[in-house]
Amino acid sequence: MRGRTAIVTGSTSGIGKGIATALAEAGVNVMLNGFGDAGEIEALRADLEARFKIGAAYHGADMTKPEEIRDLVAATEARFGQVDILVNNAGIQHTDLIEDFPDDRWDAVIAINLSSSFHTTKAVVGGMKQRGWGRIVNISSVHGLVASVQKVAYIAAKHGLIGMTKVTALEAAGSGVTCNAICPGWVKTPLVMAQIEARAERDGISIEQATSTLLGEKQPSEQFTTIEQLGAAAVFLCGDAAANMSGTTLTLDGAWSAQ
Ligand code: NAD
């Protein structure tokens, strides 16, 4: 994979950061994206370059804005020549019952967790097909397979992303380009820590107790999936062993969706 180039959206934190690091370790140049402290993002970029002898750059495109997404792709092509691997990872969460769910939170979750992947894919898939090689990895969720209460926008977006994965795979079939979705269960990232903290406050329990009930309710292994495991799964999907795997899901959910 050395010399290939990847865009990983939402790679300044959590799962995206883990996948960008795993791809860099495999020799892939990476375009980082996402929000956060400028100094910390620059430290991550410089660390990836120094540790893995690859090229790493950063673009701050807001995934709610199609013109900024197109500029992210153009900047990656200008810096590295082409985009070989696209990891659609940026995502947010909002929890409320449907009757209380704010319209602007619905719009934001759908824009970031679903529509952004349409805009990135649209900008890169034609070039991948022409060159005869490409990998698109969509970070869906166990919530792309099954539902939970109070997550209507997230679950609609994650199910939609699996649909988009299938269409992309069909349209690219036989071209050397594959598209698959990764479906994690609970992963201990800032996105989930916010839910654990809200649960601890709501129920008047400790963070440890809230963590244990959150895992116990849904994830039979009672272990978090790690960002390293998800990084390795993404590297697998980008490798030759997965060349004939397309339009499907790779689920790392501690048996959640087996129930
Ligand atoms: P995180 O909050 O740690 O990271 C989210 C990333 O997305 C950050 O880099 C953030 O800056 C970026 N981002 C948010 N809004 C953005 C925007 N408008 N434009 C550009 N970047 C933006 O969350 P995470 O847990 O690492 O989640 C990453 C992905 O994995 C999401 O799609 C999430 O739905 C999915 N996922 C997470 C879990 C979990 O348990 N943590 C489980 C299943 C799926």
Side-chain angles (χ1 to χ4, degrees):
M1 255 182 275
R2 184 155 290 278
R4 302 269 191 209
T5 294
I7 294 176
V8 185
T9 70
S11 45
T12 53
S13 172
I15 294 168
K17 187 173 167 183
I19 290 175
T21 303
L23 288 171
E25 191 169 9
V28 174
N29 302 318
V30 289
M31 176 59 88
L32 301 168
N33 160 259
F35 300 148
D37 176 80
E40 284 176 23
I41 294 170
E42 172 51 23
L44 169 66
R45 191 204 62 75
D47 176 61
L48 293 180
E49 276 199 339
R51 260 200 299 159
F52 303 122
K53 313 288 177 250
I54 49 97
Y58 167 74
H59 190 289
D62 180 340
M63 288 294 126
T64 63
K65 303 205 165 104
E67 66 280 10
E68 292 189 22
I69 294 173
R70 286 189 282 276
D71 193 58
L72 161 69
V73 173
T76 310
E77 289 169 344
R79 169 69 199 275
F80 297 112
Q82 63 196 45
V83 179
D84 305 299
I85 297 167
L86 169 65
V87 182
N88 288 312
N89 167 78
I92 59 167
Q93 178 61 282
H94 181 84
T95 58
D96 254 323
L97 291 171
I98 294 173
E99 54 267 43
D100 301 326
F101 212 93
D103 293 353
D104 70 328
R105 290 300 83 203
W106 168 272
D107 290 342
V109 172
I110 297 295
I112 297 168
N113 296 22
L114 180 61
S115 301
S116 72
S117 302
F118 162 71
H119 295 296
T120 50
T121 301
K122 183 177 176 179
V124 305
V125 74
M128 288 177 175
K129 285 199 252 184
Q130 270 170 13
R131 292 187 297 274
W133 199 92
R135 293 286 188 272
I136 300 175
V137 179
N138 292 327
I139 307 305
S140 180
S141 168
V142 64
H143 279 134
L145 304 168
V146 297
S148 297
V149 296
Q150 298 197 359
K151 295 185 173 174
V152 65
Y154 188 87
I155 286 165
K158 294 299 187 182
H159 276 70
L161 190 54
I162 291 179
M164 197 188 303
T165 301
K166 293 175 182 174
V167 177
T168 309
L170 284 174
E171 291 188 2
S175 71
V177 179
T178 70
C179 180
N180 293 288
I182 295 179
C183 296
W186 291 125
V187 189
K188 203 170 183 182
T189 68
L191 184 140
V192 164
M193 280 315 296
Q195 294 174 61
I196 291 173
E197 283 159 15
R199 182 182 281 253
E201 193 171 320
R202 184 194 68 200
D203 299 343
I205 54 177
S206 68
I207 293 289
E208 291 70 30
Q209 286 168 314
T211 303
S212 148
T213 56
L214 176 114
L215 280 172
E217 274 171 14
K218 297 274 185 182
Q219 195 147 301
S221 68
E222 299 196 19
Q223 305 285 321
F224 286 104
T225 300
T226 67
I227 62 169
E228 290 78 12
Q229 289 162 350
L230 292 164
V235 169
F236 164 72
L237 289 176
C238 293
D240 289 341
N244 202 31
M245 179 174 172
S246 199
T248 192
T249 52
L250 197 53
T251 303
L252 291 86
D253 69 351
W256 177 333
S257 57
Q259 296 167 100

